[in-house]
Amino acid sequence: MSLASLQSYVRQFYEGATPEGVRFRYALLAFDIITVLFIIATSFLPSNDVTELLDVLFGVVILVDFAARLLVSRDRLREFTKLSTWTDVVAIVSFLAPLAGEPGGFLRILRTLRLLRDYQMLARLREDITFFRRNEEVIFAVTNLAVFIFVMTAIVYETQKFRNPQITNYADALYFTVTALTTTGFGDITLPGTTGRMISVVIMIFGVTLFFNLARALLSPSKVRFSCPTCGLQRHDSDAVHCKACGNVLNIPDEGLT
């Protein structure tokens, strides 16, 4: 098989609309979610032979996926300008070489965010899952907030575990991240020094922004995604008859639910 034939074959799985390609991308999404749950669960447990073996297995799968994405990419150099590429590299190193730092694997959670923002995956989720279609903004807001919390938890733990006696495990780092994000500030755990203060500032500023974005998504009236044929407005009230931007009559498909 030539290189071009191999690229075409693999590209069908990553970009194709065939049933096999759709199932493959759903499997990747499920794998990402399982990996995130594994990272979170094992971060609170002492290292052992079983978790180290699973680390290697996850790392090998991620490495194969990473190599396949580079293979089908139409601009490989451009791939290395993307944050998602470098988070994959960090995750691969952390899984395959635990001595390099297991917490780096927390950056693996960013892959779930990237997959959810893949155009074809989004279109498929909207078509197949009613719950996703109705709650897309809330799901993205929750995902963004979760990604931020666990990445910042990893940063807090990595920067403080050897210098701050108040942070001895992931639970301590997660506790500080959540209290800083909500600006509760109990004061029982603090990050000393300039670096610690800057991390706290980042958590508070961006965390509060993401938290309010989630609140807005939960409290704002539900919208449906339907492109107006005249002006192209994408979001409309679920019971809209006319487009608010241009007044054109809409024919939004629904499932007969009120």
Side-chain angles (χ1 to χ4, degrees):
M1 180 181 291
S2 66
L3 178 60
S5 299
L6 179 61
Q7 286 176 319
S8 177
Y9 177 75
V10 176
R11 190 170 285 133
Q12 290 179 10
F13 289 96
Y14 281 91
E15 301 176 2
T18 62
E20 292 78 10
V22 172
R23 286 195 294 268
F24 176 78
R25 289 193 292 276
Y26 268 122
L28 273 183
L29 180 60
F31 173 75
D32 281 331
I33 294 172
I34 292 171
T35 304
V36 169
L37 295 176
F38 170 78
I39 292 168
I40 295 171
T42 56
S43 65
F44 297 99
L45 302 174
S47 179
N48 55 62
D49 293 340
V50 175
T51 57
E52 289 184 3
L53 176 61
L54 290 173
D55 278 348
V56 173
L57 292 177
F58 277 113
V60 169
V61 175
I62 300 168
L63 179 60
V64 171
D65 175 50
F66 180 75
R69 289 181 183 277
L70 286 182
L71 177 67
V72 302
S73 175
R74 293 172 174 79
D75 188 349
R76 295 187 182 90
L77 290 179
R78 188 170 179 271
E79 291 295 321
F80 287 94
T81 64
K82 299 178 180 178
L83 176 63
S84 58
T85 300
W86 291 104
T87 56
D88 280 351
V89 171
V90 171
I92 291 168
V93 171
S94 68
F95 276 121
L96 295 181
L99 293 178
E102 293 178 6
F106 262 86
L107 295 177
R108 181 72 168 88
I109 197 173
L110 293 173
R111 280 179 55 83
T112 301
L113 188 65
R114 182 179 71 177
L115 279 178
L116 283 175
R117 285 185 172 167
D118 177 76
Y119 175 78
Q120 291 179 328
M121 179 59 72
L122 277 177
R124 179 57 58 180
L125 288 172
R126 291 189 191 112
E127 181 178 343
D128 294 346
I129 305 175
T130 302
F131 178 82
F132 181 88
R133 186 164 58 248
R134 293 180 184 167
N135 301 279
E136 184 177 337
E137 287 192 17
V138 175
I139 291 172
F140 275 119
V142 170
T143 304
N144 286 334
L145 184 59
V147 168
F148 179 79
I149 288 174
F150 286 109
V151 170
M152 292 310 301
T153 296
I155 293 174
V156 169
Y157 181 73
E158 278 295 276
T159 59
Q160 301 295 313
K161 64 180 180 179
F162 293 124
R163 66 184 69 177
N164 190 340
Q166 296 175 317
I167 296 180
T168 59
N169 53 48
Y170 275 108
D172 294 335
L174 179 61
Y175 170 76
F176 171 81
T177 301
V178 173
T179 56
L181 182 149
T182 58
T183 66
T184 303
F186 291 121
D188 50 345
I189 297 179
T190 58
L191 305 189
T194 302
T195 300
R197 292 189 179 94
M198 290 301 100
I199 292 174
S200 301
V201 168
V202 169
I203 292 173
M204 286 184 280
I205 292 176
F206 289 96
V208 168
T209 301
L210 291 170
F211 184 79
F212 278 116
N213 186 51
L214 172 59
R216 181 193 60 79
L218 287 170
L219 298 176
S220 61
S222 61
K223 300 282 187 177
V224 294
R225 184 180 293 273
F226 179 81
S227 180
C228 173
T230 301
C231 69
L233 183 67
Q234 293 287 324
R235 307 289 289 179
H236 306 275
D237 294 334
S238 57
D239 59 350
V241 176
H242 297 87
C243 175
K244 287 185 176 180
C246 67
N248 183 62
V249 176
L250 301 172
N251 294 293
I252 301 175
D254 61 53
E255 294 142 347
L257 300 176
T258 57

